[in-house]
Structure formats: structure tokens, C-alpha cells
Amino acid sequence: DDFEYLDGIEKSAAILTFVLLLISNVSRILPIILSSRRRGFSGVIVGAITVQTIAMLTDLFMAYLPTPVVIDPVTGGRVHLMRWAEWASVCFIMTYMMEGVDV
């Protein structure tokens, strides 16, 4: 059990994912904010923005802060515990949205 700063391709991947999610969120929020009609947000949009914001923050934290990393005893692969915390916090919202839209 170790805290590590990501470097190389892992850090680049976290930064790239953060930027892509930021662009996606901004492109979704800006038209709503700039719209002349103030109807408010739908629940699905609020849920999607929430999930993406949590994912963005996780990627930002992983890129620039020490990240807990463990080695999986079965596969020998590196496991980033911050990802598991992210998934645990958003899985209920994603499941609820998928069931709500009947996908």
C-alpha cells in the first residue's frame, strides 16, 4: 500500500481525461446558462453533470496529488484506489439514470 505521484503516460492520461470531461461539461452547461429561456435543468442533465464533475475531479487529483496505489495479488497490475472511490460514489446515480431512461 503506497501513495505515489503519477508520472509519464499515467499522468498524461489523467490530464487528457480531465480536459475532455471539462470540454464536455462546459459544452453541456453553457447553452443552458446562455439560453434566453430559463426553464431550469432536467434531472438527467443534473445527474450527468454530477457524474462527470466527480470523474473530472478524480482525474485532476490523480494527476497532481499523491494517489493510493496497490498491486493486485492475482494479476500483478497496478490498482488506483481513487478510481474505486470514484466508481463507488457515482454507480448509484448512473444505475438510476439508466433505469430511468429504460436503456
Side-chain angles (χ1 to χ4, degrees):
D1 301 339
D2 199 15
F3 281 82
E4 299 178 9
Y5 283 94
L6 300 184
D7 58 359
I9 192 77
E10 287 181 328
K11 184 173 184 172
S12 298
I15 293 170
L16 179 63
T17 306
F18 169 77
V19 170
L20 291 173
L21 286 170
L22 181 66
I23 291 169
S24 175
N25 260 348
V26 168
S27 69
R28 183 174 290 128
I29 293 172
L30 237 99
I32 295 171
I33 291 173
L34 299 177
S35 171
S36 59
R37 299 174 289 156
R38 299 284 181 183
R39 296 180 302 149
F41 294 110
S42 81
V44 173
I45 292 294
V46 171
I49 290 170
T50 301
V51 166
Q52 285 188 343
T53 301
I54 291 170
M56 270 181 10
L57 291 174
T58 302
D59 286 316
L60 187 65
F61 294 161
M62 286 180 67
Y64 295 107
L65 297 176
T67 302
V69 176
V70 296
I71 304 300
D72 186 315
V74 176
T75 65
R78 291 166 45 92
V79 178
H80 300 275
L81 296 181
M82 202 172 278
R83 283 273 179 240
W84 284 92
E86 169 195 357
W87 294 331
S89 65
V90 298
C91 67
F92 74 95
I93 255 180
M94 292 169 40
T95 302
Y96 181 75
M97 286 193 310
M98 290 301 107
E99 289 297 321
V101 296
D102 201 26
V103 171

